[in-house]
Amino acid sequence: MVAVDNLSLQLYTVRGKLEEDFDATLARIAQIGYTKVEPFGVTGFADRLADALPKHGLSAPTTHAGLLRDEAGPIYAAAKRLGITTVIDPHTDPARWQNADDIKVIADGLNKAAIEAADHGITVGYHNHQFELESKIGGAHGLEILVDNLSDDVILEVDTYWAAVGGADVPALLGKFGDRVKAIHVKDGDGTLNNKAQVAVGDGVIAVADILAAAPGALRVVELDDYTGEIFDAVEGSYTFLTGEGAPE
């Protein structure tokens, strides 16, 4: 089973709840048992996170922020204030993944960001969707081409669900990327682009146990992009499955 201190929740999962009551949402996450969260919109939420995280015994080792499209200075400042040590770029334009030269430009941007971030004591990472895997160039997934052109200082947060939707053999991919994978998004569903079909981890078709086993050292970050029911049911169900009997380390 997954150790609680190696489990996090991407706050995008509960974005609607955060809009209703930010503090109560963080309290509920902690009540379920999570001790770590992965914020989004960190510059806008910094003040509220600075109050709510310590209040509820939560920490944020990672965050999503658009380093390749937004001004980086405020992102690094917010991350340092909140004790966040890894900033992960969550999305690039799918049109940029159709040839190797464009992918190399993305890699160059991440490499440059990593140099700048290091001055702030921060590590830079990249998070995929499905299109980086759907793109095949010379027999390789686009994400593989990206990794081949990244400096050793850039880490990966592999969204294992979207990698599967994109057609990858996810355990094999994780094995190939090895220690560069410092975090994974763990999510479940019917394996399609339909976000509404996502479910609590363990309730869908994704080979979660094989995926976890293939990235034993990575932080496990639970995420649902959407859900048809009460979202906290899925958040709690994911926690119970991952920390309960039968789930691998």
Side-chain angles (χ1 to χ4, degrees):
M1 59 183 177
V2 176
V4 172
D5 65 358
N6 199 34
L7 187 62
S8 183
L9 177 70
Q10 166 55 247
L11 290 180
Y12 184 78
T13 303
V14 293
R15 59 196 178 278
K17 299 290 187 181
L18 290 171
E19 291 178 3
E20 294 171 8
D21 192 325
F22 194 93
D23 187 75
T25 299
L26 272 292
R28 178 70 185 278
I29 291 167
Q31 181 185 43
I32 289 169
Y34 290 91
T35 61
K36 294 178 171 64
V37 293
E38 183 174 76
F40 67 101
V42 68
T43 54
F45 287 132
D47 288 343
R48 282 181 282 179
L49 286 167
D51 290 334
L53 292 178
K55 177 180 178 181
H56 299 297
L58 296 168
S59 64
T62 61
T63 188
H64 278 195
L67 287 173
L68 300 185
R69 63 180 184 270
D70 298 330
E71 185 180 351
I75 294 171
Y76 297 141
K80 288 194 72 173
R81 178 183 178 191
L82 297 169
I84 295 168
T85 55
T86 301
V87 175
I88 299 163
D89 196 293
H91 188 269
T92 48
D93 185 348
R96 301 177 67 189
W97 290 84
Q98 304 312 307
N99 65 76
D101 287 342
D102 285 346
I103 295 172
K104 289 175 183 177
V105 172
I106 296 171
D108 287 344
L110 290 167
N111 293 340
K112 291 174 183 175
I115 294 170
E116 181 182 352
D119 291 338
H120 301 272
I122 290 170
T123 298
V124 164
Y126 184 74
H127 162 278
N128 62 281
H129 288 80
Q130 87 287 349
F131 51 81
E132 297 95 335
L133 289 309
E134 286 176 341
S135 171
K136 296 290 285 286
I137 300 162
H141 293 291
L143 188 62
E144 294 177 279
I145 295 171
L146 178 80
V147 171
D148 287 343
N149 289 278
L150 290 177
S151 75
D152 291 340
D153 295 327
V154 180
I155 66 98
L156 293 178
E157 178 178 63
V158 176
D159 188 309
T160 59
Y161 185 82
W162 289 129
V165 173
D169 179 335
V170 181
L173 193 73
L174 293 170
K176 178 178 181 179
F177 293 157
D179 290 342
R180 190 187 289 273
V181 181
K182 300 300 185 186
I184 57 175
H185 271 190
V186 185
K187 60 177 75 167
D188 214 338
D190 68 354
T192 73
L193 289 170
N194 180 12
N195 288 349
K196 288 283 190 183
Q198 291 179 21
V199 295
V201 177
D203 288 350
V205 303
I206 301 300
V208 174
D210 294 340
I211 286 168
L212 296 178
L219 177 69
R220 286 79 163 92
V221 184
V222 171
E223 183 187 41
L224 290 93
D225 295 287
D226 210 336
Y227 186 61
T228 56
E230 164 53 50
I231 189 60
F232 271 121
D233 290 344
V235 169
E236 186 166 4
S238 298
Y239 179 91
T240 299
F241 175 80
L242 290 168
T243 60
E245 294 299 321
E249 288 289 348

